[in-house]
Amino acid sequence: MHNRSDLAVTRVRHPLKFRLLQVKQVRPLTPHLTRVTLTGDDLHDFESASFDDHVKVFFPRPGADKPVIPEASPDGPVFAADQPRSVARDFTPRRYDRAARELDLEFALHEAGPAAEWAAQARVGHYLGIGGPRGSMVIPTGFDWHLLIGDDTALPAIGRRLEELPAGTRVAAVIEVGDPSARIEFATAANLYSVWRYRSDAAFRGGALLQAVRETWLPDGDGYVWAAGEAATMRAVRYHLVNERGIDKTRIRAASYWKEGAVAVHEALDD
Ligand SMILES: Cc1cc2nc3c(=O)[nH]c(=O)nc-3n(C[C@H](O)[C@H](O)[C@H](O)COP(=O)(O)OP(=O)(O)OC[C@H]3O[C@@H](n4cnc5c(N)ncnc54)[C@H](O)[C@@H]3O)c2cc1C
């Protein structure tokens, strides 16, 4: 175990690039999740090597039609000194089609925040800026089993992973959303076992997800766990899997995609 070279997670770097894009289509997937298709010639060389990549999304300031986006330089992003910076948040490249110059992002419509507010009123023709992805962690698909865990913010990555896994791959998805109206259908050729849990049934946020993970049976063999969602919940999920279930730390990638009461949080979780 743990020496199969085909199972090594690899890091890929991409040149940093900022792109100005326009909304081509807005499609509500559920009352709580909206898919926005962006387009622009800047996408001709867009690259995203992993389902858990992210782009930094720049939103127009109130009253402006376009976001202020930085210039890429060898030392990183350079912001114009004379302009107020745009608000920026991280989102998953859910699908892209270089030939068609399209990129889909999916926005969880939570109560308050510039990104969620932008998505709730997004219309064809609106502008957004994106930066990156700067790099990717490529998790091989050849594990004996995969476990994907997350909340609404992880749905785009989970949906993309399920589309990318080869036919017959053994995968379980354990997902917490607000209530059954937030469920989506996944397109996958993998052998998927999915568990949906609802915050409406739980005493506290993350409680339903943690309980479902505790109840998840883990097969033998070489597996990989990927988890993303609210910070405190992800910490508890990772703690349980590593310390109580014996998952090797090289076989789990857990990240905070947001944090209750804080803005724009992204943390990879390790010890
Ligand atoms: C690598 C990465 C990839 C991500 N991919 C996606 C994605 O594809 N789709 C997606 O929807 N999100 C994704 N996220 C999460 C998203 O970046 C955050 O939810 C972000 O905070 C949203 O920005 P906002 O402006 O709406 O809210 P903020 O201004 O950041 O936060 C405002 C308030 O809302 C709370 N909050 C933030 N997000 C949520 C939420 N989902 N539910 C409830 N309360 C929340 C905050 O705690 C804060 O109190 C990703 C995050 C990371 C780090």
Side-chain angles (χ1 to χ4, degrees), residues 79-144:
F79 291 87
D82 57 343
Q83 291 183 58
R85 291 188 188 187
S86 286
V87 165
R89 299 284 186 266
D90 291 345
F91 285 84
T92 303
R94 170 67 181 82
R95 181 196 68 95
Y96 66 100
D97 179 338
R98 263 195 302 263
R101 311 276 193 265
E102 286 181 1
L103 169 67
D104 286 358
L105 305 178
E106 291 173 3
F107 294 81
L109 302 176
H110 63 95
E111 271 171 23
E117 282 162 18
W118 180 89
Q121 56 74 59
R123 297 287 176 271
V124 172
H126 284 183
Y127 286 94
L128 273 192
I130 62 162
R134 290 182 98 149
S136 310
M137 293 294 279
V138 179
I139 302 167
T141 58
F143 285 97
D144 299 324

Short mmCIF file of all heavy atoms in Angstrom, two decimals, residues 79-144:
data_model
loop_
_atom_site.label_atom_id
_atom_site.label_comp_id
_atom_site.label_asym_id
_atom_site.label_seq_id
_atom_site.Cartn_x
_atom_site.Cartn_y
_atom_site.Cartn_z
N PHE A 79 -1.88 45.75 -9.03
CA PHE A 79 -3.14 46.50 -9.04
C PHE A 79 -2.87 47.96 -9.37
O PHE A 79 -1.89 48.53 -8.91
CB PHE A 79 -3.82 46.40 -7.68
CG PHE A 79 -4.33 45.02 -7.37
CD1 PHE A 79 -3.49 44.07 -6.79
CD2 PHE A 79 -5.63 44.66 -7.67
CE1 PHE A 79 -3.95 42.79 -6.50
CE2 PHE A 79 -6.10 43.38 -7.39
CZ PHE A 79 -5.26 42.45 -6.81
N ALA A 80 -3.73 48.56 -10.19
CA ALA A 80 -3.58 49.98 -10.51
C ALA A 80 -3.71 50.80 -9.23
O ALA A 80 -4.64 50.58 -8.44
CB ALA A 80 -4.66 50.40 -11.50
N ALA A 81 -2.76 51.72 -9.01
CA ALA A 81 -2.72 52.46 -7.75
C ALA A 81 -3.88 53.44 -7.64
O ALA A 81 -4.32 53.80 -6.55
CB ALA A 81 -1.39 53.20 -7.65
N ASP A 82 -4.39 53.90 -8.81
CA ASP A 82 -5.38 54.97 -8.78
C ASP A 82 -6.83 54.47 -8.79
O ASP A 82 -7.75 55.26 -8.91
CB ASP A 82 -5.14 55.90 -9.98
CG ASP A 82 -5.20 55.14 -11.29
OD1 ASP A 82 -5.10 53.88 -11.25
OD2 ASP A 82 -5.38 55.77 -12.34
N GLN A 83 -7.02 53.17 -8.69
CA GLN A 83 -8.40 52.67 -8.74
C GLN A 83 -8.68 51.78 -7.53
O GLN A 83 -7.83 50.99 -7.14
CB GLN A 83 -8.60 51.81 -9.98
CG GLN A 83 -8.57 52.61 -11.27
CD GLN A 83 -8.85 51.68 -12.46
OE1 GLN A 83 -9.89 51.04 -12.50
NE2 GLN A 83 -7.93 51.63 -13.39
N PRO A 84 -9.88 51.91 -6.95
CA PRO A 84 -10.22 51.00 -5.85
C PRO A 84 -10.30 49.57 -6.35
O PRO A 84 -10.77 49.34 -7.47
CB PRO A 84 -11.60 51.49 -5.39
CG PRO A 84 -12.13 52.35 -6.48
CD PRO A 84 -10.98 52.80 -7.32
N ARG A 85 -9.82 48.64 -5.56
CA ARG A 85 -9.81 47.24 -6.00
C ARG A 85 -11.22 46.64 -6.01
O ARG A 85 -12.05 47.00 -5.18
CB ARG A 85 -8.96 46.40 -5.06
CG ARG A 85 -7.50 46.72 -5.18
CD ARG A 85 -6.70 45.72 -4.38
NE ARG A 85 -5.31 46.12 -4.32
CZ ARG A 85 -4.35 45.38 -3.80
NH1 ARG A 85 -4.64 44.21 -3.26
NH2 ARG A 85 -3.11 45.80 -3.80
N SER A 86 -11.44 45.74 -6.92
CA SER A 86 -12.71 45.01 -6.94
C SER A 86 -12.70 43.94 -5.86
O SER A 86 -11.65 43.43 -5.48
CB SER A 86 -12.90 44.33 -8.29
OG SER A 86 -13.23 45.28 -9.26
N VAL A 87 -13.88 43.60 -5.40
CA VAL A 87 -14.02 42.47 -4.49
C VAL A 87 -13.70 41.19 -5.25
O VAL A 87 -14.10 41.05 -6.41
CB VAL A 87 -15.48 42.41 -3.98
CG1 VAL A 87 -15.79 41.08 -3.32
CG2 VAL A 87 -15.75 43.56 -3.03
N ALA A 88 -12.99 40.28 -4.62
CA ALA A 88 -12.62 39.02 -5.29
C ALA A 88 -12.93 37.83 -4.38
O ALA A 88 -12.74 37.90 -3.17
CB ALA A 88 -11.15 39.04 -5.66
N ARG A 89 -13.43 36.76 -4.97
CA ARG A 89 -13.74 35.53 -4.24
C ARG A 89 -13.33 34.33 -5.10
O ARG A 89 -13.24 34.45 -6.32
CB ARG A 89 -15.25 35.42 -3.95
CG ARG A 89 -15.83 36.54 -3.11
CD ARG A 89 -15.49 36.39 -1.64
NE ARG A 89 -16.16 37.40 -0.83
CZ ARG A 89 -15.62 38.57 -0.47
NH1 ARG A 89 -14.40 38.89 -0.87
NH2 ARG A 89 -16.30 39.40 0.29
N ASP A 90 -13.17 33.17 -4.45
CA ASP A 90 -12.73 31.97 -5.17
C ASP A 90 -13.91 31.13 -5.66
O ASP A 90 -14.84 30.87 -4.89
CB ASP A 90 -11.89 31.08 -4.25
CG ASP A 90 -10.55 31.70 -3.92
OD1 ASP A 90 -10.15 32.66 -4.59
OD2 ASP A 90 -9.90 31.22 -2.96
N PHE A 91 -13.84 30.68 -6.90
CA PHE A 91 -14.87 29.78 -7.45
C PHE A 91 -14.22 28.69 -8.31
O PHE A 91 -13.12 28.84 -8.80
CB PHE A 91 -15.92 30.59 -8.24
CG PHE A 91 -16.85 31.32 -7.29
CD1 PHE A 91 -16.48 32.55 -6.78
CD2 PHE A 91 -18.01 30.73 -6.84
CE1 PHE A 91 -17.28 33.20 -5.84
CE2 PHE A 91 -18.81 31.36 -5.91
CZ PHE A 91 -18.45 32.60 -5.41
N THR A 92 -14.95 27.60 -8.46
CA THR A 92 -14.45 26.40 -9.15
C THR A 92 -14.77 26.48 -10.63
O THR A 92 -15.94 26.70 -10.99
CB THR A 92 -15.16 25.17 -8.55
OG1 THR A 92 -14.93 25.15 -7.15
CG2 THR A 92 -14.67 23.88 -9.19
N PRO A 93 -13.79 26.28 -11.49
CA PRO A 93 -14.11 26.16 -12.93
C PRO A 93 -14.88 24.86 -13.14
O PRO A 93 -14.31 23.78 -13.17
CB PRO A 93 -12.74 26.10 -13.62
CG PRO A 93 -11.72 26.31 -12.56
CD PRO A 93 -12.35 26.07 -11.23
N ARG A 94 -16.17 24.97 -13.24
CA ARG A 94 -17.03 23.78 -13.27
C ARG A 94 -16.94 23.04 -14.60
O ARG A 94 -16.95 21.82 -14.66
CB ARG A 94 -18.48 24.22 -13.00
CG ARG A 94 -19.55 23.18 -13.21
CD ARG A 94 -19.41 22.07 -12.19
NE ARG A 94 -20.42 21.05 -12.38
CZ ARG A 94 -20.33 20.06 -13.27
NH1 ARG A 94 -19.29 19.98 -14.08
NH2 ARG A 94 -21.29 19.17 -13.38
N ARG A 95 -16.85 23.83 -15.70
CA ARG A 95 -16.72 23.26 -17.04
C ARG A 95 -16.10 24.32 -17.93
O ARG A 95 -16.41 25.51 -17.76
CB ARG A 95 -18.11 22.91 -17.60
CG ARG A 95 -18.12 22.29 -18.99
CD ARG A 95 -19.53 22.33 -19.60
NE ARG A 95 -19.95 23.70 -19.91
CZ ARG A 95 -19.84 24.30 -21.10
NH1 ARG A 95 -19.32 23.66 -22.12
NH2 ARG A 95 -20.24 25.55 -21.28
N TYR A 96 -15.22 23.93 -18.85
CA TYR A 96 -14.75 24.92 -19.82
C TYR A 96 -14.62 24.26 -21.17
O TYR A 96 -14.43 23.05 -21.29
CB TYR A 96 -13.45 25.58 -19.37
CG TYR A 96 -12.24 24.68 -19.30
CD1 TYR A 96 -11.31 24.67 -20.32
CD2 TYR A 96 -12.05 23.84 -18.22
CE1 TYR A 96 -10.19 23.84 -20.26
CE2 TYR A 96 -10.94 23.01 -18.16
CZ TYR A 96 -10.02 23.02 -19.18
OH TYR A 96 -8.94 22.19 -19.11
N ASP A 97 -14.75 25.10 -22.18
CA ASP A 97 -14.69 24.64 -23.55
C ASP A 97 -13.91 25.73 -24.29
O ASP A 97 -14.45 26.79 -24.60
CB ASP A 97 -16.12 24.49 -24.09
CG ASP A 97 -16.16 24.04 -25.54
OD1 ASP A 97 -15.16 24.22 -26.26
OD2 ASP A 97 -17.22 23.51 -25.95
N ARG A 98 -12.60 25.44 -24.48
CA ARG A 98 -11.74 26.46 -25.08
C ARG A 98 -12.20 26.84 -26.47
O ARG A 98 -12.22 28.01 -26.83
CB ARG A 98 -10.30 25.96 -25.14
CG ARG A 98 -9.44 26.44 -23.99
CD ARG A 98 -7.98 26.22 -24.30
NE ARG A 98 -7.72 24.83 -24.55
CZ ARG A 98 -7.25 23.97 -23.65
NH1 ARG A 98 -6.98 24.39 -22.44
NH2 ARG A 98 -7.05 22.72 -23.96
N ALA A 99 -12.59 25.83 -27.26
CA ALA A 99 -12.97 26.11 -28.65
C ALA A 99 -14.18 27.03 -28.70
O ALA A 99 -14.25 27.97 -29.49
CB ALA A 99 -13.26 24.80 -29.37
N ALA A 100 -15.14 26.79 -27.79
CA ALA A 100 -16.35 27.61 -27.77
C ALA A 100 -16.15 28.88 -26.92
O ALA A 100 -17.06 29.70 -26.82
CB ALA A 100 -17.51 26.79 -27.21
N ARG A 101 -14.95 28.99 -26.28
CA ARG A 101 -14.64 30.15 -25.40
C ARG A 101 -15.67 30.26 -24.28
O ARG A 101 -16.24 31.33 -24.04
CB ARG A 101 -14.63 31.46 -26.18
CG ARG A 101 -13.80 31.44 -27.45
CD ARG A 101 -12.34 31.72 -27.13
NE ARG A 101 -11.56 32.01 -28.31
CZ ARG A 101 -10.84 31.12 -29.00
NH1 ARG A 101 -10.84 29.84 -28.66
NH2 ARG A 101 -10.12 31.50 -30.04
N GLU A 102 -15.94 29.15 -23.61
CA GLU A 102 -16.93 29.15 -22.53
C GLU A 102 -16.33 28.63 -21.23
O GLU A 102 -15.53 27.70 -21.23
CB GLU A 102 -18.11 28.23 -22.88
CG GLU A 102 -19.04 28.83 -23.91
CD GLU A 102 -20.22 27.90 -24.23
OE1 GLU A 102 -20.32 26.81 -23.63
OE2 GLU A 102 -21.02 28.29 -25.09
N LEU A 103 -16.78 29.23 -20.13
CA LEU A 103 -16.41 28.77 -18.79
C LEU A 103 -17.66 28.84 -17.92
O LEU A 103 -18.31 29.88 -17.85
CB LEU A 103 -15.32 29.69 -18.21
CG LEU A 103 -15.01 29.49 -16.73
CD1 LEU A 103 -14.36 28.13 -16.46
CD2 LEU A 103 -14.09 30.62 -16.23
N ASP A 104 -17.98 27.72 -17.27
CA ASP A 104 -19.12 27.72 -16.34
C ASP A 104 -18.62 27.83 -14.91
O ASP A 104 -17.71 27.10 -14.49
CB ASP A 104 -19.88 26.39 -16.42
CG ASP A 104 -20.72 26.26 -17.69
OD1 ASP A 104 -20.75 27.21 -18.48
OD2 ASP A 104 -21.35 25.19 -17.85
N LEU A 105 -19.27 28.70 -14.15
CA LEU A 105 -19.09 28.76 -12.69
C LEU A 105 -20.47 28.50 -12.08
O LEU A 105 -21.48 28.86 -12.67
CB LEU A 105 -18.60 30.14 -12.25
CG LEU A 105 -17.32 30.68 -12.89
CD1 LEU A 105 -17.01 32.08 -12.36
CD2 LEU A 105 -16.13 29.75 -12.64
N GLU A 106 -20.48 27.92 -10.90
CA GLU A 106 -21.76 27.72 -10.20
C GLU A 106 -21.67 28.39 -8.83
O GLU A 106 -20.74 28.14 -8.07
CB GLU A 106 -22.06 26.23 -10.05
CG GLU A 106 -22.37 25.59 -11.41
CD GLU A 106 -22.53 24.08 -11.36
OE1 GLU A 106 -22.45 23.48 -10.25
OE2 GLU A 106 -22.71 23.48 -12.43
N PHE A 107 -22.66 29.22 -8.55
CA PHE A 107 -22.66 30.03 -7.34
C PHE A 107 -23.73 29.53 -6.36
O PHE A 107 -24.91 29.46 -6.72
CB PHE A 107 -22.99 31.49 -7.67
CG PHE A 107 -21.94 32.20 -8.50
CD1 PHE A 107 -21.90 32.03 -9.88
CD2 PHE A 107 -21.01 33.04 -7.90
CE1 PHE A 107 -20.94 32.67 -10.65
CE2 PHE A 107 -20.06 33.69 -8.66
CZ PHE A 107 -20.01 33.51 -10.03
N ALA A 108 -23.29 29.24 -5.13
CA ALA A 108 -24.24 28.94 -4.06
C ALA A 108 -24.86 30.27 -3.63
O ALA A 108 -24.15 31.24 -3.36
CB ALA A 108 -23.53 28.28 -2.88
N LEU A 109 -26.20 30.29 -3.58
CA LEU A 109 -26.89 31.55 -3.27
C LEU A 109 -27.20 31.62 -1.78
O LEU A 109 -28.31 31.36 -1.35
CB LEU A 109 -28.18 31.63 -4.08
CG LEU A 109 -28.00 31.55 -5.61
CD1 LEU A 109 -29.34 31.53 -6.31
CD2 LEU A 109 -27.13 32.71 -6.12
N HIS A 110 -26.19 31.98 -1.01
CA HIS A 110 -26.42 32.11 0.44
C HIS A 110 -26.92 33.51 0.73
O HIS A 110 -27.12 34.32 -0.18
CB HIS A 110 -25.15 31.75 1.21
CG HIS A 110 -24.01 32.66 0.94
ND1 HIS A 110 -23.73 33.73 1.73
CD2 HIS A 110 -23.10 32.70 -0.07
CE1 HIS A 110 -22.69 34.37 1.23
NE2 HIS A 110 -22.29 33.76 0.14
N GLU A 111 -27.09 33.82 2.02
CA GLU A 111 -27.85 35.03 2.36
C GLU A 111 -27.18 36.35 2.00
O GLU A 111 -27.82 37.25 1.48
CB GLU A 111 -28.20 35.03 3.85
CG GLU A 111 -29.51 34.33 4.08
CD GLU A 111 -29.81 34.10 5.53
OE1 GLU A 111 -29.25 34.84 6.37
OE2 GLU A 111 -30.58 33.18 5.83
N ALA A 112 -25.90 36.50 2.29
CA ALA A 112 -25.30 37.81 2.08
C ALA A 112 -23.83 37.69 1.74
O ALA A 112 -23.10 36.93 2.36
CB ALA A 112 -25.43 38.65 3.35
N GLY A 113 -23.41 38.47 0.78
CA GLY A 113 -22.02 38.48 0.35
C GLY A 113 -22.00 38.96 -1.07
O GLY A 113 -22.91 38.66 -1.84
N PRO A 114 -20.97 39.72 -1.47
CA PRO A 114 -20.95 40.30 -2.81
C PRO A 114 -21.04 39.26 -3.93
O PRO A 114 -21.70 39.50 -4.94
CB PRO A 114 -19.61 41.04 -2.88
CG PRO A 114 -19.03 41.02 -1.52
CD PRO A 114 -19.83 40.12 -0.64
N ALA A 115 -20.41 38.09 -3.75
CA ALA A 115 -20.45 37.09 -4.83
C ALA A 115 -21.86 36.52 -4.97
O ALA A 115 -22.40 36.44 -6.08
CB ALA A 115 -19.45 35.97 -4.53
N ALA A 116 -22.45 36.15 -3.83
CA ALA A 116 -23.81 35.58 -3.89
C ALA A 116 -24.79 36.62 -4.41
O ALA A 116 -25.70 36.30 -5.20
CB ALA A 116 -24.21 35.10 -2.50
N GLU A 117 -24.61 37.88 -4.00
CA GLU A 117 -25.52 38.94 -4.47
C GLU A 117 -25.36 39.17 -5.98
O GLU A 117 -26.34 39.34 -6.70
CB GLU A 117 -25.27 40.24 -3.70
CG GLU A 117 -25.90 40.20 -2.31
CD GLU A 117 -25.34 41.25 -1.36
OE1 GLU A 117 -24.71 42.23 -1.83
OE2 GLU A 117 -25.52 41.06 -0.14
N TRP A 118 -24.11 39.13 -6.44
CA TRP A 118 -23.88 39.30 -7.88
C TRP A 118 -24.59 38.18 -8.65
O TRP A 118 -25.30 38.44 -9.63
CB TRP A 118 -22.38 39.31 -8.19
CG TRP A 118 -22.12 39.47 -9.66
CD1 TRP A 118 -21.97 40.65 -10.34
CD2 TRP A 118 -22.05 38.42 -10.63
NE1 TRP A 118 -21.81 40.39 -11.68
CE2 TRP A 118 -21.86 39.03 -11.89
CE3 TRP A 118 -22.14 37.04 -10.57
CZ2 TRP A 118 -21.75 38.30 -13.07
CZ3 TRP A 118 -22.03 36.30 -11.74
CH2 TRP A 118 -21.83 36.93 -12.99
N ALA A 119 -24.40 36.95 -8.17
CA ALA A 119 -24.95 35.80 -8.90
C ALA A 119 -26.48 35.85 -8.94
O ALA A 119 -27.10 35.47 -9.93
CB ALA A 119 -24.48 34.50 -8.25
N ALA A 120 -27.07 36.32 -7.85
CA ALA A 120 -28.54 36.34 -7.78
C ALA A 120 -29.13 37.30 -8.80
O ALA A 120 -30.29 37.14 -9.21
CB ALA A 120 -28.98 36.71 -6.36
N GLN A 121 -28.36 38.32 -9.22
CA GLN A 121 -28.90 39.27 -10.21
C GLN A 121 -28.15 39.21 -11.55
O GLN A 121 -28.31 40.09 -12.38
CB GLN A 121 -28.93 40.70 -9.63
CG GLN A 121 -27.59 41.23 -9.12
CD GLN A 121 -26.63 41.60 -10.22
OE1 GLN A 121 -26.94 42.45 -11.05
NE2 GLN A 121 -25.46 40.95 -10.26
N ALA A 122 -27.35 38.18 -11.76
CA ALA A 122 -26.53 38.10 -12.98
C ALA A 122 -27.42 38.03 -14.22
O ALA A 122 -28.44 37.32 -14.23
CB ALA A 122 -25.62 36.88 -12.93
N ARG A 123 -27.04 38.77 -15.25
CA ARG A 123 -27.78 38.80 -16.51
C ARG A 123 -26.80 38.68 -17.66
O ARG A 123 -25.64 39.07 -17.53
CB ARG A 123 -28.53 40.14 -16.69
CG ARG A 123 -29.60 40.43 -15.65
CD ARG A 123 -30.87 39.57 -15.83
NE ARG A 123 -31.81 39.83 -14.75
CZ ARG A 123 -31.84 39.18 -13.59
NH1 ARG A 123 -30.97 38.22 -13.34
NH2 ARG A 123 -32.73 39.46 -12.65
N VAL A 124 -27.31 38.20 -18.79
CA VAL A 124 -26.50 38.11 -20.00
C VAL A 124 -25.88 39.48 -20.30
O VAL A 124 -26.57 40.51 -20.20
CB VAL A 124 -27.38 37.65 -21.19
CG1 VAL A 124 -26.62 37.73 -22.51
CG2 VAL A 124 -27.87 36.21 -20.94
N GLY A 125 -24.58 39.48 -20.58
CA GLY A 125 -23.89 40.73 -20.90
C GLY A 125 -23.12 41.32 -19.73
O GLY A 125 -22.23 42.15 -19.93
N HIS A 126 -23.44 40.92 -18.50
CA HIS A 126 -22.69 41.43 -17.35
C HIS A 126 -21.22 40.99 -17.42
O HIS A 126 -20.92 39.92 -17.96
CB HIS A 126 -23.29 40.90 -16.04
CG HIS A 126 -24.56 41.60 -15.64
ND1 HIS A 126 -25.24 41.33 -14.49
CD2 HIS A 126 -25.28 42.58 -16.26
CE1 HIS A 126 -26.31 42.10 -14.39
NE2 HIS A 126 -26.37 42.87 -15.47
N TYR A 127 -20.34 41.81 -16.84
CA TYR A 127 -18.91 41.50 -16.87
C TYR A 127 -18.42 40.92 -15.55
O TYR A 127 -18.89 41.30 -14.47
CB TYR A 127 -18.11 42.78 -17.13
CG TYR A 127 -18.18 43.27 -18.54
CD1 TYR A 127 -19.13 44.24 -18.91
CD2 TYR A 127 -17.31 42.79 -19.51
CE1 TYR A 127 -19.19 44.70 -20.22
CE2 TYR A 127 -17.37 43.26 -20.82
CZ TYR A 127 -18.32 44.21 -21.16
OH TYR A 127 -18.38 44.67 -22.45
N LEU A 128 -17.45 40.02 -15.65
CA LEU A 128 -16.71 39.50 -14.50
C LEU A 128 -15.25 39.40 -14.90
O LEU A 128 -14.95 39.17 -16.07
CB LEU A 128 -17.16 38.08 -14.14
CG LEU A 128 -18.32 37.84 -13.22
CD1 LEU A 128 -18.35 36.37 -12.83
CD2 LEU A 128 -18.22 38.71 -11.97
N GLY A 129 -14.37 39.48 -13.91
CA GLY A 129 -12.96 39.19 -14.18
C GLY A 129 -12.59 37.89 -13.51
O GLY A 129 -13.18 37.52 -12.49
N ILE A 130 -11.65 37.18 -14.10
CA ILE A 130 -11.12 36.01 -13.39
C ILE A 130 -9.59 36.01 -13.45
O ILE A 130 -8.99 36.48 -14.42
CB ILE A 130 -11.65 34.66 -13.96
CG1 ILE A 130 -11.22 34.45 -15.41
CG2 ILE A 130 -13.16 34.54 -13.83
CD1 ILE A 130 -11.32 32.98 -15.85
N GLY A 131 -8.99 35.48 -12.40
CA GLY A 131 -7.54 35.28 -12.38
C GLY A 131 -7.26 33.81 -12.12
O GLY A 131 -7.92 33.19 -11.29
N GLY A 132 -6.33 33.25 -12.85
CA GLY A 132 -5.94 31.86 -12.62
C GLY A 132 -6.75 30.89 -13.45
O GLY A 132 -7.41 31.32 -14.40
N PRO A 133 -6.75 29.58 -13.12
CA PRO A 133 -6.06 28.99 -11.96
C PRO A 133 -4.53 29.12 -12.07
O PRO A 133 -3.98 29.01 -13.15
CB PRO A 133 -6.44 27.50 -12.02
CG PRO A 133 -7.46 27.36 -13.09
CD PRO A 133 -7.40 28.56 -13.94
N ARG A 134 -3.90 29.34 -10.91
CA ARG A 134 -2.44 29.45 -10.88
C ARG A 134 -1.80 28.08 -10.84
O ARG A 134 -0.67 27.91 -11.26
CB ARG A 134 -1.99 30.18 -9.61
CG ARG A 134 -2.33 31.61 -9.59
CD ARG A 134 -1.82 32.24 -8.33
NE ARG A 134 -0.56 32.90 -8.59
CZ ARG A 134 -0.13 33.98 -7.93
NH1 ARG A 134 -0.84 34.46 -6.94
NH2 ARG A 134 1.00 34.54 -8.24
N GLY A 135 -2.53 27.13 -10.28
CA GLY A 135 -1.94 25.80 -10.16
C GLY A 135 -3.02 24.80 -9.85
O GLY A 135 -4.14 25.16 -9.50
N SER A 136 -2.67 23.53 -10.02
CA SER A 136 -3.64 22.46 -9.80
C SER A 136 -2.98 21.35 -9.01
O SER A 136 -1.79 21.07 -9.20
CB SER A 136 -4.09 21.85 -11.13
OG SER A 136 -4.48 22.84 -12.04
N MET A 137 -3.74 20.71 -8.16
CA MET A 137 -3.31 19.46 -7.53
C MET A 137 -4.06 18.36 -8.26
O MET A 137 -5.29 18.30 -8.19
CB MET A 137 -3.68 19.43 -6.06
CG MET A 137 -2.93 20.44 -5.23
SD MET A 137 -1.16 20.09 -5.16
CE MET A 137 -1.15 18.84 -3.90
N VAL A 138 -3.34 17.55 -9.00
CA VAL A 138 -4.00 16.53 -9.80
C VAL A 138 -4.06 15.23 -9.00
O VAL A 138 -3.02 14.63 -8.68
CB VAL A 138 -3.29 16.33 -11.15
CG1 VAL A 138 -3.99 15.25 -11.97
CG2 VAL A 138 -3.25 17.64 -11.91
N ILE A 139 -5.26 14.84 -8.63
CA ILE A 139 -5.47 13.61 -7.85
C ILE A 139 -5.81 12.51 -8.85
O ILE A 139 -6.81 12.61 -9.58
CB ILE A 139 -6.62 13.81 -6.84
CG1 ILE A 139 -6.30 14.98 -5.90
CG2 ILE A 139 -6.87 12.52 -6.05
CD1 ILE A 139 -7.49 15.46 -5.08
N PRO A 140 -4.98 11.47 -8.92
CA PRO A 140 -5.24 10.43 -9.92
C PRO A 140 -6.64 9.84 -9.78
O PRO A 140 -7.22 9.84 -8.68
CB PRO A 140 -4.18 9.37 -9.60
CG PRO A 140 -3.11 10.10 -8.86
CD PRO A 140 -3.80 11.19 -8.10
N THR A 141 -7.14 9.34 -10.89
CA THR A 141 -8.48 8.75 -10.86
C THR A 141 -8.42 7.26 -10.55
O THR A 141 -9.45 6.63 -10.32
CB THR A 141 -9.19 8.94 -12.22
OG1 THR A 141 -8.38 8.34 -13.24
CG2 THR A 141 -9.41 10.40 -12.54
N GLY A 142 -7.20 6.69 -10.53
CA GLY A 142 -7.07 5.23 -10.47
C GLY A 142 -7.14 4.61 -9.08
O GLY A 142 -6.81 3.42 -8.93
N PHE A 143 -7.53 5.36 -8.07
CA PHE A 143 -7.68 4.77 -6.73
C PHE A 143 -8.76 3.69 -6.75
O PHE A 143 -9.67 3.71 -7.58
CB PHE A 143 -8.04 5.86 -5.71
CG PHE A 143 -6.86 6.73 -5.35
CD1 PHE A 143 -6.67 7.95 -5.97
CD2 PHE A 143 -5.94 6.32 -4.40
CE1 PHE A 143 -5.58 8.74 -5.67
CE2 PHE A 143 -4.85 7.10 -4.09
CZ PHE A 143 -4.66 8.31 -4.72
N ASP A 144 -8.65 2.77 -5.79
CA ASP A 144 -9.65 1.70 -5.71
C ASP A 144 -11.02 2.27 -5.35
O ASP A 144 -12.05 1.73 -5.73
CB ASP A 144 -9.24 0.67 -4.65
CG ASP A 144 -7.91 0.02 -5.00
OD1 ASP A 144 -7.67 -0.20 -6.20
OD2 ASP A 144 -7.12 -0.25 -4.09
#
